[in-house]
Amino acid sequence: MRYFIQFLLVLGLFNLVHAESIDVTSFTSQKQERRYQALIGEIRCPVCQGQSIGGSNAGLAKDLREKVRELILNQKTNDDIRVFMVERYGDFVVFKPPVNKNTYLLWFTPFVFLLLAVFFLVRSFGRKKELVSLDISKAKDLLK
């Protein structure tokens, strides 16, 4: 029993090693804080798979959160901050990439697939009517 208690104490100490501190940010107004929260939710972490910098514990995400905070305190607009991030990390860094020559495929491929699906759906219904009419005429010929 004594070894089990020692094991639990050592296990508890290992958990403390992995604890991280919470980022403390100070702003001059609530509006700046709301902007900060919205922006860190909109900007994707370049290191993580599909996480925003607000939800990531990666070192780069922490640096980007600090940079967003600094830019907000320097009176930059949200668009200026997004442009800064896109220039530095590419269109991947924003969850809603802009429509430009590099992202046409990303934006318009779903619509092309939707149009193709509707086309093939309409075409399959047309063929079913033809097949049914042929089957009915063959059945009538057999019954004569």
Side-chain angles (χ1 to χ4, degrees):
M1 183 69 173
R2 187 177 94 186
Y3 293 114
F4 181 70
I5 292 172
Q6 289 175 348
F7 173 74
L8 289 178
L9 288 174
V10 170
L11 186 64
L13 291 175
F14 283 126
N15 285 335
L16 294 176
V17 172
H18 296 291
E20 290 191 34
S21 64
I22 298 172
D23 292 337
V24 178
T25 56
S26 60
F27 293 100
T28 57
S29 70
Q30 285 283 61
K31 183 180 176 184
Q32 286 180 337
E33 188 170 348
R34 285 192 301 271
R35 282 182 56 209
Y36 173 77
Q37 292 299 327
L39 281 169
I40 66 171
E42 291 176 11
I43 298 172
R44 184 189 318 248
C45 177
V47 176
C48 307
Q49 293 286 330
Q51 271 189 318
S52 68
I53 60 172
S56 173
N57 286 331
L60 181 59
K62 290 178 185 179
D63 294 340
L64 290 177
R65 285 192 300 263
E66 182 59 32
K67 187 64 177 177
V68 168
R69 182 184 158 288
E70 176 186 319
L71 291 172
I72 287 174
L73 291 175
N74 289 336
Q75 305 301 321
K76 299 291 183 184
T77 65
N78 289 358
D79 290 334
D80 291 340
I81 295 170
R82 284 187 202 100
V83 166
F84 174 82
M85 293 295 177
V86 168
E87 285 175 355
R88 181 139 315 166
Y89 298 102
D91 288 332
F92 173 78
V93 81
V94 286
F95 278 112
K96 187 177 177 186
V99 179
N100 59 30
K101 65 179 177 129
N102 296 330
T103 60
Y104 283 148
L105 191 64
L106 172 72
W107 279 102
F108 298 115
T109 301
F111 296 114
V112 170
F113 280 122
L114 180 66
L115 289 174
L116 286 172
V118 168
F119 171 75
F120 286 117
L121 182 68
V122 169
R123 191 172 140 197
S124 71
F125 282 136
R127 285 196 175 181
K128 273 188 180 177
K129 287 182 182 178
E130 288 176 10
L131 290 176
V132 168
S133 65
L134 287 175
D135 288 342
I136 291 174
S137 64
K138 284 182 183 178
K140 285 182 181 178
D141 288 341
L142 288 174
L143 290 175
K144 287 185 181 181

